[in-house]
Amino acid sequence: MADAQAPGAGFELPLLLFAGFRSIVDRLHQDLAAHGHPEVRPAYGFALQAIGRDGASASELGRRLGVSKQAAGKTVEKLEGLGYVRRADDPGDGRRKLVRLTPRGVDVLVRSAEGFDRLRAEWVRALGAERVAALEADLRTMAPAGAFRLDAEGWFAG
């Protein structure tokens, strides 16, 4: 039986992947807080991405996040209270409301994209461009097709 503490133990890989993810996300959120978005949580970022530039109904948002319409509705209420989204009539269906990003919601997404680019550049400076590109390629190989989903809402405290 392999020593559980030895490098390369099976449990270590997901922990290291998660630690790398957390280091990037935590630093990004520190930067967002310093630039006027202290209340943004990782779950909100997933929801804002799922809403997108074209907006989404609560049902669509729930499907995109992999949560119930009610859970999506609660997230929308929180984001609306924070000024990141607004509800608007759907021009194609008067019975339906769309959730749309406000300028504040767009700002947090733009700042997030810029922040992720800066943090990736730090990894490139520390590890080298070839190693980072190889890591990304390897993760794409190992992640099943369609594995990148926005349904991480349940993974993070809202």
Side-chain angles (χ1 to χ4, degrees), residues 100-129:
R100 295 200 177 270
L101 299 176
T102 63
R104 183 167 168 76
V106 171
D107 182 63
V108 78
L109 286 180
V110 167
R111 287 184 185 275
S112 294
E114 291 168 350
F116 282 129
D117 287 344
R118 273 192 311 276
L119 291 164
R120 184 186 184 281
E122 287 181 18
W123 280 48
V124 166
R125 281 191 297 279
L127 302 174

PDB file of all heavy atoms in Angstrom, residues 100-129:
ATOM      1  N   ARG A 100     -30.719  41.156 -16.240  1.00  0.00           N
ATOM      2  CA  ARG A 100     -29.683  41.792 -17.054  1.00  0.00           C
ATOM      3  C   ARG A 100     -28.613  42.385 -16.142  1.00  0.00           C
ATOM      4  O   ARG A 100     -28.886  42.832 -15.046  1.00  0.00           O
ATOM      5  CB  ARG A 100     -30.286  42.886 -17.919  1.00  0.00           C
ATOM      6  CG  ARG A 100     -31.266  42.363 -18.948  1.00  0.00           C
ATOM      7  CD  ARG A 100     -31.414  43.393 -20.050  1.00  0.00           C
ATOM      8  NE  ARG A 100     -32.275  42.919 -21.094  1.00  0.00           N
ATOM      9  CZ  ARG A 100     -31.874  42.237 -22.158  1.00  0.00           C
ATOM     10  NH1 ARG A 100     -30.608  41.942 -22.297  1.00  0.00           N
ATOM     11  NH2 ARG A 100     -32.719  41.854 -23.075  1.00  0.00           N
ATOM     12  N   LEU A 101     -27.389  42.406 -16.657  1.00  0.00           N
ATOM     13  CA  LEU A 101     -26.292  43.020 -15.920  1.00  0.00           C
ATOM     14  C   LEU A 101     -26.448  44.532 -15.915  1.00  0.00           C
ATOM     15  O   LEU A 101     -26.830  45.131 -16.925  1.00  0.00           O
ATOM     16  CB  LEU A 101     -24.957  42.668 -16.578  1.00  0.00           C
ATOM     17  CG  LEU A 101     -24.589  41.194 -16.652  1.00  0.00           C
ATOM     18  CD1 LEU A 101     -23.285  41.024 -17.430  1.00  0.00           C
ATOM     19  CD2 LEU A 101     -24.472  40.589 -15.278  1.00  0.00           C
ATOM     20  N   THR A 102     -26.135  45.138 -14.795  1.00  0.00           N
ATOM     21  CA  THR A 102     -26.063  46.596 -14.711  1.00  0.00           C
ATOM     22  C   THR A 102     -24.635  47.003 -15.082  1.00  0.00           C
ATOM     23  O   THR A 102     -23.750  46.142 -15.200  1.00  0.00           O
ATOM     24  CB  THR A 102     -26.353  47.074 -13.275  1.00  0.00           C
ATOM     25  OG1 THR A 102     -25.336  46.548 -12.421  1.00  0.00           O
ATOM     26  CG2 THR A 102     -27.740  46.635 -12.811  1.00  0.00           C
ATOM     27  N   PRO A 103     -24.382  48.291 -15.246  1.00  0.00           N
ATOM     28  CA  PRO A 103     -22.989  48.712 -15.470  1.00  0.00           C
ATOM     29  C   PRO A 103     -22.050  48.208 -14.360  1.00  0.00           C
ATOM     30  O   PRO A 103     -20.906  47.848 -14.630  1.00  0.00           O
ATOM     31  CB  PRO A 103     -23.078  50.237 -15.496  1.00  0.00           C
ATOM     32  CG  PRO A 103     -24.454  50.494 -16.034  1.00  0.00           C
ATOM     33  CD  PRO A 103     -25.317  49.420 -15.401  1.00  0.00           C
ATOM     34  N   ARG A 104     -22.535  48.150 -13.130  1.00  0.00           N
ATOM     35  CA  ARG A 104     -21.724  47.624 -12.020  1.00  0.00           C
ATOM     36  C   ARG A 104     -21.433  46.135 -12.226  1.00  0.00           C
ATOM     37  O   ARG A 104     -20.323  45.675 -11.954  1.00  0.00           O
ATOM     38  CB  ARG A 104     -22.463  47.855 -10.698  1.00  0.00           C
ATOM     39  CG  ARG A 104     -21.706  47.434  -9.475  1.00  0.00           C
ATOM     40  CD  ARG A 104     -22.403  48.021  -8.227  1.00  0.00           C
ATOM     41  NE  ARG A 104     -21.912  47.440  -7.001  1.00  0.00           N
ATOM     42  CZ  ARG A 104     -20.750  47.734  -6.429  1.00  0.00           C
ATOM     43  NH1 ARG A 104     -19.945  48.620  -6.997  1.00  0.00           N
ATOM     44  NH2 ARG A 104     -20.389  47.159  -5.300  1.00  0.00           N
ATOM     45  N   GLY A 105     -22.413  45.383 -12.736  1.00  0.00           N
ATOM     46  CA  GLY A 105     -22.197  43.970 -13.027  1.00  0.00           C
ATOM     47  C   GLY A 105     -21.193  43.772 -14.147  1.00  0.00           C
ATOM     48  O   GLY A 105     -20.337  42.882 -14.076  1.00  0.00           O
ATOM     49  N   VAL A 106     -21.297  44.599 -15.177  1.00  0.00           N
ATOM     50  CA  VAL A 106     -20.327  44.527 -16.275  1.00  0.00           C
ATOM     51  C   VAL A 106     -18.933  44.877 -15.760  1.00  0.00           C
ATOM     52  O   VAL A 106     -17.950  44.211 -16.100  1.00  0.00           O
ATOM     53  CB  VAL A 106     -20.740  45.457 -17.440  1.00  0.00           C
ATOM     54  CG1 VAL A 106     -19.639  45.552 -18.491  1.00  0.00           C
ATOM     55  CG2 VAL A 106     -22.047  44.974 -18.072  1.00  0.00           C
ATOM     56  N   ASP A 107     -18.842  45.890 -14.891  1.00  0.00           N
ATOM     57  CA  ASP A 107     -17.542  46.300 -14.350  1.00  0.00           C
ATOM     58  C   ASP A 107     -16.872  45.152 -13.600  1.00  0.00           C
ATOM     59  O   ASP A 107     -15.677  44.913 -13.778  1.00  0.00           O
ATOM     60  CB  ASP A 107     -17.715  47.506 -13.419  1.00  0.00           C
ATOM     61  CG  ASP A 107     -16.388  48.001 -12.874  1.00  0.00           C
ATOM     62  OD1 ASP A 107     -15.537  48.447 -13.673  1.00  0.00           O
ATOM     63  OD2 ASP A 107     -16.186  47.921 -11.641  1.00  0.00           O
ATOM     64  N   VAL A 108     -17.620  44.433 -12.783  1.00  0.00           N
ATOM     65  CA  VAL A 108     -16.999  43.350 -12.019  1.00  0.00           C
ATOM     66  C   VAL A 108     -16.530  42.234 -12.950  1.00  0.00           C
ATOM     67  O   VAL A 108     -15.477  41.632 -12.720  1.00  0.00           O
ATOM     68  CB  VAL A 108     -17.914  42.834 -10.885  1.00  0.00           C
ATOM     69  CG1 VAL A 108     -18.995  41.917 -11.395  1.00  0.00           C
ATOM     70  CG2 VAL A 108     -17.100  42.133  -9.814  1.00  0.00           C
ATOM     71  N   LEU A 109     -17.270  41.971 -14.021  1.00  0.00           N
ATOM     72  CA  LEU A 109     -16.833  40.942 -14.971  1.00  0.00           C
ATOM     73  C   LEU A 109     -15.586  41.380 -15.735  1.00  0.00           C
ATOM     74  O   LEU A 109     -14.673  40.578 -15.957  1.00  0.00           O
ATOM     75  CB  LEU A 109     -17.959  40.583 -15.938  1.00  0.00           C
ATOM     76  CG  LEU A 109     -19.088  39.746 -15.347  1.00  0.00           C
ATOM     77  CD1 LEU A 109     -20.150  39.460 -16.406  1.00  0.00           C
ATOM     78  CD2 LEU A 109     -18.576  38.447 -14.748  1.00  0.00           C
ATOM     79  N   VAL A 110     -15.538  42.638 -16.136  1.00  0.00           N
ATOM     80  CA  VAL A 110     -14.355  43.152 -16.845  1.00  0.00           C
ATOM     81  C   VAL A 110     -13.145  43.113 -15.916  1.00  0.00           C
ATOM     82  O   VAL A 110     -12.062  42.648 -16.296  1.00  0.00           O
ATOM     83  CB  VAL A 110     -14.610  44.579 -17.378  1.00  0.00           C
ATOM     84  CG1 VAL A 110     -13.320  45.242 -17.836  1.00  0.00           C
ATOM     85  CG2 VAL A 110     -15.633  44.540 -18.515  1.00  0.00           C
ATOM     86  N   ARG A 111     -13.315  43.579 -14.684  1.00  0.00           N
ATOM     87  CA  ARG A 111     -12.209  43.556 -13.717  1.00  0.00           C
ATOM     88  C   ARG A 111     -11.767  42.122 -13.424  1.00  0.00           C
ATOM     89  O   ARG A 111     -10.578  41.855 -13.250  1.00  0.00           O
ATOM     90  CB  ARG A 111     -12.600  44.261 -12.424  1.00  0.00           C
ATOM     91  CG  ARG A 111     -12.657  45.759 -12.566  1.00  0.00           C
ATOM     92  CD  ARG A 111     -12.959  46.421 -11.219  1.00  0.00           C
ATOM     93  NE  ARG A 111     -13.132  47.839 -11.372  1.00  0.00           N
ATOM     94  CZ  ARG A 111     -12.148  48.729 -11.388  1.00  0.00           C
ATOM     95  NH1 ARG A 111     -10.905  48.324 -11.284  1.00  0.00           N
ATOM     96  NH2 ARG A 111     -12.410  50.011 -11.529  1.00  0.00           N
ATOM     97  N   SER A 112     -12.723  41.192 -13.369  1.00  0.00           N
ATOM     98  CA  SER A 112     -12.387  39.783 -13.139  1.00  0.00           C
ATOM     99  C   SER A 112     -11.540  39.240 -14.281  1.00  0.00           C
ATOM    100  O   SER A 112     -10.522  38.575 -14.048  1.00  0.00           O
ATOM    101  CB  SER A 112     -13.651  38.940 -12.994  1.00  0.00           C
ATOM    102  OG  SER A 112     -14.354  39.284 -11.834  1.00  0.00           O
ATOM    103  N   ALA A 113     -11.957  39.513 -15.516  1.00  0.00           N
ATOM    104  CA  ALA A 113     -11.199  39.023 -16.678  1.00  0.00           C
ATOM    105  C   ALA A 113      -9.784  39.585 -16.667  1.00  0.00           C
ATOM    106  O   ALA A 113      -8.812  38.848 -16.883  1.00  0.00           O
ATOM    107  CB  ALA A 113     -11.925  39.390 -17.968  1.00  0.00           C
ATOM    108  N   GLU A 114      -9.669  40.883 -16.404  1.00  0.00           N
ATOM    109  CA  GLU A 114      -8.341  41.501 -16.345  1.00  0.00           C
ATOM    110  C   GLU A 114      -7.516  40.906 -15.208  1.00  0.00           C
ATOM    111  O   GLU A 114      -6.315  40.647 -15.356  1.00  0.00           O
ATOM    112  CB  GLU A 114      -8.481  43.019 -16.164  1.00  0.00           C
ATOM    113  CG  GLU A 114      -9.053  43.715 -17.382  1.00  0.00           C
ATOM    114  CD  GLU A 114      -9.456  45.160 -17.117  1.00  0.00           C
ATOM    115  OE1 GLU A 114      -9.476  45.585 -15.926  1.00  0.00           O
ATOM    116  OE2 GLU A 114      -9.774  45.863 -18.094  1.00  0.00           O
ATOM    117  N   GLY A 115      -8.146  40.674 -14.073  1.00  0.00           N
ATOM    118  CA  GLY A 115      -7.455  40.096 -12.930  1.00  0.00           C
ATOM    119  C   GLY A 115      -6.974  38.682 -13.206  1.00  0.00           C
ATOM    120  O   GLY A 115      -5.839  38.321 -12.861  1.00  0.00           O
ATOM    121  N   PHE A 116      -7.827  37.863 -13.830  1.00  0.00           N
ATOM    122  CA  PHE A 116      -7.406  36.505 -14.167  1.00  0.00           C
ATOM    123  C   PHE A 116      -6.226  36.529 -15.135  1.00  0.00           C
ATOM    124  O   PHE A 116      -5.308  35.716 -15.018  1.00  0.00           O
ATOM    125  CB  PHE A 116      -8.559  35.695 -14.757  1.00  0.00           C
ATOM    126  CG  PHE A 116      -9.534  35.170 -13.734  1.00  0.00           C
ATOM    127  CD1 PHE A 116     -10.890  35.378 -13.890  1.00  0.00           C
ATOM    128  CD2 PHE A 116      -9.090  34.473 -12.618  1.00  0.00           C
ATOM    129  CE1 PHE A 116     -11.799  34.881 -12.962  1.00  0.00           C
ATOM    130  CE2 PHE A 116      -9.982  33.972 -11.683  1.00  0.00           C
ATOM    131  CZ  PHE A 116     -11.346  34.182 -11.851  1.00  0.00           C
ATOM    132  N   ASP A 117      -6.226  37.464 -16.079  1.00  0.00           N
ATOM    133  CA  ASP A 117      -5.092  37.586 -16.999  1.00  0.00           C
ATOM    134  C   ASP A 117      -3.810  37.957 -16.245  1.00  0.00           C
ATOM    135  O   ASP A 117      -2.738  37.407 -16.509  1.00  0.00           O
ATOM    136  CB  ASP A 117      -5.375  38.628 -18.085  1.00  0.00           C
ATOM    137  CG  ASP A 117      -6.372  38.152 -19.127  1.00  0.00           C
ATOM    138  OD1 ASP A 117      -6.645  36.933 -19.211  1.00  0.00           O
ATOM    139  OD2 ASP A 117      -6.892  39.017 -19.870  1.00  0.00           O
ATOM    140  N   ARG A 118      -3.911  38.888 -15.302  1.00  0.00           N
ATOM    141  CA  ARG A 118      -2.740  39.281 -14.503  1.00  0.00           C
ATOM    142  C   ARG A 118      -2.220  38.108 -13.675  1.00  0.00           C
ATOM    143  O   ARG A 118      -1.013  37.880 -13.593  1.00  0.00           O
ATOM    144  CB  ARG A 118      -3.091  40.439 -13.561  1.00  0.00           C
ATOM    145  CG  ARG A 118      -2.955  41.812 -14.156  1.00  0.00           C
ATOM    146  CD  ARG A 118      -3.026  42.913 -13.107  1.00  0.00           C
ATOM    147  NE  ARG A 118      -4.151  42.796 -12.195  1.00  0.00           N
ATOM    148  CZ  ARG A 118      -5.381  43.233 -12.445  1.00  0.00           C
ATOM    149  NH1 ARG A 118      -5.652  43.833 -13.582  1.00  0.00           N
ATOM    150  NH2 ARG A 118      -6.336  43.097 -11.549  1.00  0.00           N
ATOM    151  N   LEU A 119      -3.137  37.361 -13.071  1.00  0.00           N
ATOM    152  CA  LEU A 119      -2.717  36.234 -12.231  1.00  0.00           C
ATOM    153  C   LEU A 119      -2.095  35.120 -13.069  1.00  0.00           C
ATOM    154  O   LEU A 119      -1.110  34.500 -12.658  1.00  0.00           O
ATOM    155  CB  LEU A 119      -3.902  35.727 -11.417  1.00  0.00           C
ATOM    156  CG  LEU A 119      -4.355  36.717 -10.334  1.00  0.00           C
ATOM    157  CD1 LEU A 119      -5.740  36.357  -9.815  1.00  0.00           C
ATOM    158  CD2 LEU A 119      -3.346  36.788  -9.207  1.00  0.00           C
ATOM    159  N   ARG A 120      -2.640  34.879 -14.256  1.00  0.00           N
ATOM    160  CA  ARG A 120      -2.027  33.882 -15.145  1.00  0.00           C
ATOM    161  C   ARG A 120      -0.620  34.334 -15.514  1.00  0.00           C
ATOM    162  O   ARG A 120       0.323  33.532 -15.560  1.00  0.00           O
ATOM    163  CB  ARG A 120      -2.872  33.665 -16.395  1.00  0.00           C
ATOM    164  CG  ARG A 120      -2.300  32.553 -17.285  1.00  0.00           C
ATOM    165  CD  ARG A 120      -3.065  32.444 -18.599  1.00  0.00           C
ATOM    166  NE  ARG A 120      -2.562  31.329 -19.383  1.00  0.00           N
ATOM    167  CZ  ARG A 120      -1.448  31.365 -20.118  1.00  0.00           C
ATOM    168  NH1 ARG A 120      -0.693  32.453 -20.153  1.00  0.00           N
ATOM    169  NH2 ARG A 120      -1.072  30.296 -20.805  1.00  0.00           N
ATOM    170  N   ALA A 121      -0.465  35.633 -15.786  1.00  0.00           N
ATOM    171  CA  ALA A 121       0.865  36.162 -16.130  1.00  0.00           C
ATOM    172  C   ALA A 121       1.848  35.961 -14.978  1.00  0.00           C
ATOM    173  O   ALA A 121       3.032  35.693 -15.215  1.00  0.00           O
ATOM    174  CB  ALA A 121       0.757  37.644 -16.502  1.00  0.00           C
ATOM    175  N   GLU A 122       1.386  36.046 -13.734  1.00  0.00           N
ATOM    176  CA  GLU A 122       2.263  35.774 -12.597  1.00  0.00           C
ATOM    177  C   GLU A 122       2.704  34.311 -12.597  1.00  0.00           C
ATOM    178  O   GLU A 122       3.858  34.013 -12.301  1.00  0.00           O
ATOM    179  CB  GLU A 122       1.549  36.093 -11.282  1.00  0.00           C
ATOM    180  CG  GLU A 122       1.404  37.564 -11.023  1.00  0.00           C
ATOM    181  CD  GLU A 122       0.725  37.863  -9.699  1.00  0.00           C
ATOM    182  OE1 GLU A 122       0.666  36.968  -8.812  1.00  0.00           O
ATOM    183  OE2 GLU A 122       0.235  38.994  -9.546  1.00  0.00           O
ATOM    184  N   TRP A 123       1.782  33.411 -12.909  1.00  0.00           N
ATOM    185  CA  TRP A 123       2.142  31.990 -12.999  1.00  0.00           C
ATOM    186  C   TRP A 123       3.178  31.791 -14.112  1.00  0.00           C
ATOM    187  O   TRP A 123       4.112  31.018 -13.956  1.00  0.00           O
ATOM    188  CB  TRP A 123       0.898  31.139 -13.248  1.00  0.00           C
ATOM    189  CG  TRP A 123       0.081  30.863 -12.016  1.00  0.00           C
ATOM    190  CD1 TRP A 123      -0.328  31.775 -11.075  1.00  0.00           C
ATOM    191  CD2 TRP A 123      -0.418  29.601 -11.599  1.00  0.00           C
ATOM    192  NE1 TRP A 123      -1.058  31.141 -10.111  1.00  0.00           N
ATOM    193  CE2 TRP A 123      -1.136  29.813 -10.408  1.00  0.00           C
ATOM    194  CE3 TRP A 123      -0.355  28.323 -12.123  1.00  0.00           C
ATOM    195  CZ2 TRP A 123      -1.769  28.781  -9.726  1.00  0.00           C
ATOM    196  CZ3 TRP A 123      -0.997  27.293 -11.451  1.00  0.00           C
ATOM    197  CH2 TRP A 123      -1.681  27.524 -10.255  1.00  0.00           C
ATOM    198  N   VAL A 124       2.996  32.492 -15.228  1.00  0.00           N
ATOM    199  CA  VAL A 124       3.955  32.384 -16.341  1.00  0.00           C
ATOM    200  C   VAL A 124       5.329  32.887 -15.892  1.00  0.00           C
ATOM    201  O   VAL A 124       6.350  32.262 -16.184  1.00  0.00           O
ATOM    202  CB  VAL A 124       3.443  33.138 -17.589  1.00  0.00           C
ATOM    203  CG1 VAL A 124       4.541  33.321 -18.625  1.00  0.00           C
ATOM    204  CG2 VAL A 124       2.243  32.404 -18.186  1.00  0.00           C
ATOM    205  N   ARG A 125       5.360  33.999 -15.170  1.00  0.00           N
ATOM    206  CA  ARG A 125       6.646  34.519 -14.678  1.00  0.00           C
ATOM    207  C   ARG A 125       7.299  33.533 -13.706  1.00  0.00           C
ATOM    208  O   ARG A 125       8.511  33.354 -13.717  1.00  0.00           O
ATOM    209  CB  ARG A 125       6.463  35.884 -14.017  1.00  0.00           C
ATOM    210  CG  ARG A 125       6.341  37.024 -14.999  1.00  0.00           C
ATOM    211  CD  ARG A 125       6.426  38.385 -14.326  1.00  0.00           C
ATOM    212  NE  ARG A 125       5.349  38.647 -13.386  1.00  0.00           N
ATOM    213  CZ  ARG A 125       4.124  39.057 -13.723  1.00  0.00           C
ATOM    214  NH1 ARG A 125       3.816  39.251 -14.986  1.00  0.00           N
ATOM    215  NH2 ARG A 125       3.219  39.291 -12.801  1.00  0.00           N
ATOM    216  N   ALA A 126       6.517  32.890 -12.869  1.00  0.00           N
ATOM    217  CA  ALA A 126       7.064  31.973 -11.866  1.00  0.00           C
ATOM    218  C   ALA A 126       7.448  30.613 -12.449  1.00  0.00           C
ATOM    219  O   ALA A 126       8.468  30.043 -12.064  1.00  0.00           O
ATOM    220  CB  ALA A 126       6.051  31.773 -10.735  1.00  0.00           C
ATOM    221  N   LEU A 127       6.646  30.112 -13.379  1.00  0.00           N
ATOM    222  CA  LEU A 127       6.840  28.744 -13.879  1.00  0.00           C
ATOM    223  C   LEU A 127       7.372  28.677 -15.300  1.00  0.00           C
ATOM    224  O   LEU A 127       7.885  27.640 -15.711  1.00  0.00           O
ATOM    225  CB  LEU A 127       5.514  27.973 -13.824  1.00  0.00           C
ATOM    226  CG  LEU A 127       4.847  27.850 -12.455  1.00  0.00           C
ATOM    227  CD1 LEU A 127       3.477  27.204 -12.579  1.00  0.00           C
ATOM    228  CD2 LEU A 127       5.737  27.074 -11.497  1.00  0.00           C
ATOM    229  N   GLY A 128       7.196  29.750 -16.046  1.00  0.00           N
ATOM    230  CA  GLY A 128       7.561  29.761 -17.459  1.00  0.00           C
ATOM    231  C   GLY A 128       6.346  29.512 -18.335  1.00  0.00           C
ATOM    232  O   GLY A 128       5.437  28.759 -17.965  1.00  0.00           O
ATOM    233  N   ALA A 129       6.344  30.153 -19.485  1.00  0.00           N
ATOM    234  CA  ALA A 129       5.207  30.064 -20.402  1.00  0.00           C
ATOM    235  C   ALA A 129       4.957  28.632 -20.870  1.00  0.00           C
ATOM    236  O   ALA A 129       3.801  28.199 -20.978  1.00  0.00           O
ATOM    237  CB  ALA A 129       5.428  30.982 -21.609  1.00  0.00           C
TER     238      ALA A 129
END
